[in-house]
Amino acid sequence: MKIMDAINWKILELLQLNARLSNAELGRKVGLSSPAVAERIKKMEDYGIIEGYTAKVSYVKTDYQLKAMITLKAFMGRLQPFLIQVKEFKEVLNCYRITGNENIIMEVVLQDQMHLQEFIDRLITYGEAKTHIVLSNLIAHNPIIGYEN
């Protein structure tokens, strides 16, 4: 059964841009009734296409002054312990296991340079860390858009 038609892709795009849109507003934008939109959203949720709804938060306005991307090349035998421990690091916004020379890339927020130093000190027990300070965000929360659109 094909779930993602052009209308569902449009609903999904609109929700990614503003998850607080009402079903009535979504319906006006895609040419459906509010109940029809609600049914489509429910199917996408049940199918696991829509995994949840979140709030976008400014890290700077919450007293985190640095955002960084940190790669980790795990030492022999230290990857599995890291994969368990990383879930406890409150600084980590996103963490991906990747291919290439490094095993891990993390997006982190930190209060200041001292906090960065302390965080790196925790990481180096697991492997070689490389830090890249984020200067600005060129694309943020770009919606996934279907090839049918």
Side-chain angles (χ1 to χ4, degrees):
M1 179 170 98
K2 185 176 177 182
I3 290 284
M4 296 307 291
D5 61 10
I7 293 173
N8 278 3
W9 273 114
K10 185 63 178 172
I11 291 169
L12 190 61
E13 178 184 352
L14 292 166
L15 285 174
Q16 288 175 92
L17 294 170
N18 182 358
R20 295 185 67 168
L21 286 175
S22 68
N23 289 342
E25 181 64 24
L26 287 166
R28 280 191 289 280
K29 291 179 185 255
V30 299
L32 294 176
S33 68
S34 179
V37 167
E39 183 179 326
R40 284 172 172 267
I41 291 171
K42 175 81 168 94
K43 281 183 182 176
M44 286 189 281
E45 290 170 345
D46 290 347
Y47 219 74
I49 293 166
I50 297 175
E51 296 178 337
Y53 302 87
T54 61
K56 296 176 189 173
V57 177
S58 167
Y59 69 93
V60 173
K61 292 183 180 178
T62 56
D63 293 331
Y64 289 96
Q65 299 305 310
L66 294 176
K67 182 181 272 192
M69 303 302 283
I70 301 176
T71 60
L72 183 74
K73 182 176 182 179
F75 296 141
M76 185 69 71
R78 297 297 291 156
L79 180 59
Q80 291 305 318
F82 173 81
L83 295 175
I84 294 166
Q85 184 61 45
V86 70
K87 296 171 184 161
E88 304 300 319
F89 293 153
K90 65 179 180 163
E91 297 88 350
V92 177
L93 300 178
N94 291 294
C95 181
Y96 304 97
R97 193 164 173 189
I98 59 172
T99 61
N101 290 331
E102 288 86 13
N103 306 98
I104 301 291
I105 187 166
M106 295 171 279
E107 179 183 12
V108 301
V109 291
L110 305 136
Q111 294 169 330
D112 53 29
Q113 288 88 345
M114 185 58 68
H115 189 182
L116 172 60
Q117 178 178 312
E118 292 165 359
F119 186 70
I120 291 170
D121 287 347
R122 284 187 276 155
L123 290 180
I124 61 175
T125 64
Y126 297 99
E128 179 184 328
K130 292 181 184 174
T131 303
H132 308 273
I133 301 295
V134 173
L135 299 176
S136 63
N137 195 342
L138 302 177
I139 298 174
H141 308 289
N142 215 6
I144 297 171
I145 299 177
Y147 61 90
E148 295 177 357
N149 289 344

